[in-house]
Amino acid sequence: MSVEPPKSSSSKPSTSSQSDLSVTVIGGGTMGNGIAHVFAQSGHPVTLVDVSKEACERAFATIEKNLGRMVTKEKLTEQQMQETLQRLSTSMSIQEGCQDAGLIVEAVPEVLQLKRDVYQDVEAVVEPNAVIATNTSSISITKLANTLKHPERFIGMHFFNPVPVMSLVEVVKGHQTDQAVVDAVMAWSQGLGKVPVPVNDSPGFVSNRVLMPMINEAIFSVYEGVATPEHVDEVMKRGMAHPMGPLRLADFIGLDVCLDILRVLYEGFQDPKYRPCPLLVKMVDAGTLGDKTGQGFYSYK
Ligand code: CAA
């Protein structure tokens, strides 16, 4: 399959003029607004789609705040910030928001059916050579693609929180993803100043297959009374130079998200080594999900 951004005359994946690529990000939550931010900052026209006016305004305000933080730190000029904001528009309609996009990045909640519904709406309106990417942190790319008319143009583009700061993009090739699509997404990610790493579709990809068992073991250490959350985190920060301890990081990611990913690993590999710690299950049942609820292993009230 040939992949090219609309408005380009080339028949090969075209990444020479990065700003020619129009990008639509679906979902304006933490990851979606971060993804929209980095594409707009790198010169791409970006449309951010979310379900309500309030959600769109909230996403735009977060991007403005994070750009302002970069201006304060002198990583960006005031003019660059204004230019970035001018490249951003919002829409409440997938139909309207996706029509001219060469790349669509889906960043809606991790619910299989919700994502599939989004892809159906996207495929109904997009250009035939547009690439559809998902920011899923663990759902199989191959499984997500199996209701698509064109699974060969579907790919995982896994960003990390906070998106403007973390340099990795895990580029996940599904069973049917065309190699030209992988190559285009690798080049587009580099154009964002990120470091793309190609991986094949497998439960948790590489990032969460390695990260989540560590977080789970940290939770087991607390559950079994080996150490307090503070002490577990101190060990990993001072002994292993992690910027955040695993329990602080679990709160930052969201304990519900961690549990969902561990369940994907447990079911996907059918291996008891991925069994989620009962304490994690209990905290999620109690609604103590970390930063977003104000209480997790630590209190943020
Ligand atoms: N937008 C722009 N800049 C931001 C930002 C944002 N949202 N958040 C932080 N920053 C910048 C700050 O301006 C600051 O810049 P300087 O270095 O120039 O001062 C820098 O990031 C560090 O921020 P702070 O000083 O406020 O705080 P910190 O030093 O404690 O760092 C952190 C915060 C970057 C989050 C750091 O603790 C860290 O790297 N933690 C680990 C994060 C991580 O592992 N993320 C991946 C999670 S897993 C995931 O996302 C995927 C998944 O599938 C679960």
Side-chain angles (χ1 to χ4, degrees), residues 31 66 69-70 73 75 137 158-162 164-166 208 211-212 243-244 249 252-253 261:
M31 299 306 289
N66 285 330
R69 185 206 296 251
M70 297 174 96
K73 301 239 171 183
K75 288 181 174 172
S137 52
H158 187 200
F159 289 84
F160 293 80
N161 184 21
V165 180
M166 308 306 282
N208 282 319
L211 176 64
M212 287 301 156
M244 283 173 162
L249 181 58
F252 182 64
I253 292 169
I261 298 171

Side-chain angles (χ1 to χ4, degrees), residues 3-300:
V3 184
E4 58 174 314
K7 304 181 196 112
S8 164
S9 54
S10 162
S11 63
K12 290 249 166 64
S14 167
T15 55
S16 53
S17 178
Q18 291 281 335
S19 57
D20 277 355
L21 179 71
S22 296
V23 179
T24 296
V25 179
I26 303 177
T30 308
M31 299 306 289
N33 75 58
I35 295 166
H37 171 148
V38 295
F39 274 107
Q41 197 185 314
S42 299
H44 300 277
V46 176
T47 306
L48 185 84
V49 179
D50 210 323
V51 285
S52 67
K53 190 163 171 275
E54 294 71 36
C56 289
E57 284 171 0
R58 215 171 24 245
F60 195 88
T62 304
I63 295 171
E64 206 168 6
K65 188 185 90 189
N66 285 330
L67 285 166
R69 185 206 296 251
M70 297 174 96
V71 172
T72 308
K73 301 239 171 183
E74 294 181 353
K75 288 181 174 172
L76 217 60
T77 64
E78 179 63 38
Q79 191 188 340
Q80 286 169 321
M81 171 172 164
Q82 292 311 326
E83 285 168 2
T84 300
L85 290 172
Q86 275 160 21
R87 283 191 282 270
L88 268 164
S89 58
T90 59
S91 171
M92 287 180 283
S93 147
I94 288 182
Q95 190 167 21
E96 179 193 276
C98 290
Q99 267 165 8
D100 300 323
L103 171 66
I104 294 93
V105 185
E106 167 274 307
V108 305
E110 296 282 85
V111 180
L112 182 68
Q113 194 52 50
L114 174 64
K115 289 180 186 285
R116 284 186 170 157
D117 291 346
V118 166
Y119 305 148
Q120 196 178 3
D121 291 349
V122 170
E123 273 203 320
V125 291
V126 287
E127 300 272 337
N129 57 0
V131 170
I132 305 175
T134 173
N135 180 56
T136 184
S137 52
S138 63
I139 303 177
S140 160
I141 302 305
T142 307
K143 193 168 164 181
L144 280 172
N146 83 3
T147 53
L148 287 178
K149 278 188 241 134
H150 293 288
E152 69 280 2
R153 61 158 152 183
F154 186 74
I155 191 163
M157 204 173 179
H158 187 200
F159 289 84
F160 293 80
N161 184 21
V163 180
V165 180
M166 308 306 282
S167 58
L168 176 65
V169 181
E170 198 175 28
V171 176
V172 190
K173 186 177 192 291
H175 186 63
Q176 296 175 86
T177 310
D178 199 291
Q179 187 57 41
V181 172
V182 176
D183 296 343
V185 167
M186 294 286 290
W188 291 333
S189 303
Q190 272 163 359
L192 299 176
K194 303 284 184 201
V195 178
V197 176
V199 307
N200 288 318
D201 192 22
S202 175
F205 317 134
V206 169
S207 55
N208 282 319
R209 182 177 183 164
V210 175
L211 176 64
M212 287 301 156
M214 181 190 70
I215 286 178
N216 203 35
E217 282 306 312
I219 301 173
F220 268 113
S221 302
V222 174
Y223 181 62
E224 293 171 4
V226 180
T228 62
E230 290 81 359
H231 286 158
V232 170
D233 279 354
E234 208 59 29
V235 165
M236 297 306 288
K237 283 196 292 183
R238 298 206 177 269
M240 270 55 85
H242 289 197
M244 283 173 162
L247 299 169
R248 174 69 195 94
L249 181 58
D251 277 357
F252 182 64
I253 292 169
L255 299 190
D256 52 339
V257 176
C258 294
L259 181 58
D260 281 349
I261 298 171
L262 277 161
R263 284 183 169 147
V264 166
L265 293 171
Y266 187 55
E267 280 158 28
F269 290 113
Q270 299 281 304
D271 188 330
K273 76 179 177 183
Y274 299 107
R275 179 175 73 100
C277 177
L279 175 59
L280 174 62
V281 177
K282 203 176 278 182
M283 290 177 78
V284 172
D285 284 346
T288 52
L289 307 180
D291 295 31
K292 61 186 158 192
T293 62
Q295 184 64 51
F297 287 98
Y298 299 93
S299 180
Y300 306 95

